[in-house]
Amino acid sequence: MESSPLDNDRHETPTERLDRNWDELLQELRVTQTGVQLLAGFLLTLPFQQRFATITESQRTAYLVALASAIVATTLLVAPVSAHRLMFRRHAKHQLVGFADVAARVGLATLSISIVSATYLIFDVVVGRGAAVTAAAAAGVVFVVNWLVIPLLVRSRLPRVGS
C-alpha cells in the first residue's frame, strides 16, 4: 500500500513539515546564538586587558583557537538567517532547511571547540598547565557525551519515522 503525503503521525503535508522543521531549527538557533555571541564578544576584549601581554605562547594559541572558532560558530549559527533573506519567496524551503541543519551542526561543533579552548586558557592562566589539560579534556568529554553520545543512544532506541 502506497502512503500519501499526509500519511504521518502529524497529518502534515511535506510543505507543512518543512515549515515545522524550519521553526524548530530557528528555536534551537535562538538558544545558541546569544551564548556564542557573548563568548565571542568576551574573547574580543581579552587582548585589551593589561594581563594579556604576559600570557605564554601556548596560551596565546589557545586564545586564538577559542576566538577563531567562536567567530566561525557565530557565523554558522547566524547563517540560516542570511540564507533565509536571500532565498525568501524563492520556494526553496527544502534547500533552506537542509542548509540550516548543516550550519547548525557545524556551528555547534565549532562552539564546543571554542569553549574547550577557552576552558584550557582560563585554567592555564589561573591554576596551571596540568589543570588546564584536565579541565579542557573534561569539557570535551562533557560535550561529546551530552551533544553526541546521549542523543545518538536515545535516537537508536526510537522507531524510524518521518522528519
Side-chain angles (χ1 to χ4, degrees):
M1 183 174 174
E2 194 172 303
S3 64
S4 75
L6 292 174
D7 190 17
N8 60 49
D9 289 345
R10 294 179 182 270
H11 303 290
E12 58 192 359
T13 66
T15 300
E16 290 169 334
R17 184 178 11 244
L18 283 170
D19 288 341
R20 178 177 51 82
N21 290 163
W22 175 248
D23 289 342
E24 289 174 2
L25 264 166
L26 286 181
Q27 288 295 80
E28 293 166 7
L29 292 172
R30 282 184 186 107
V31 170
T32 59
Q33 283 174 347
T34 303
V36 73
Q37 289 169 342
L38 286 171
L39 174 63
F42 167 74
L43 289 168
L44 287 168
T45 66
L46 284 182
F48 302 102
Q49 304 303 311
Q50 193 170 17
R51 190 168 176 196
F52 190 81
T54 66
I55 66 173
T56 67
E57 193 61 37
S58 73
Q59 291 168 343
R60 186 171 283 107
T61 300
Y63 167 75
L64 291 172
V65 169
L67 177 63
S69 54
I71 291 168
V72 170
T74 300
T75 302
L76 289 166
L77 294 170
V78 176
V81 175
S82 176
H84 182 262
R85 286 293 89 212
L86 292 171
M87 294 182 198
F88 190 64
R89 295 187 178 160
R90 300 289 175 115
H91 304 286
K93 186 68 69 92
H94 184 338
Q95 293 85 349
L96 180 62
V97 170
F99 167 75
D101 176 56
V102 171
R105 289 173 191 254
V106 178
L108 287 171
T110 56
L111 173 58
S112 70
I113 291 167
S114 182
I115 294 172
V116 168
S117 300
T119 300
Y120 173 87
L121 173 61
I122 292 166
F123 272 78
D124 195 20
V125 168
V126 174
V127 290
R129 179 80 29 93
V133 170
T134 301
V141 168
V142 168
F143 279 113
V144 168
V145 167
N146 286 291
W147 287 11
L148 190 64
V149 174
I150 292 173
L152 288 174
L153 282 172
V154 170
R155 185 177 81 172
S156 72
R157 294 187 173 114
L158 297 173
R160 179 81 173 131
V161 294
S163 56

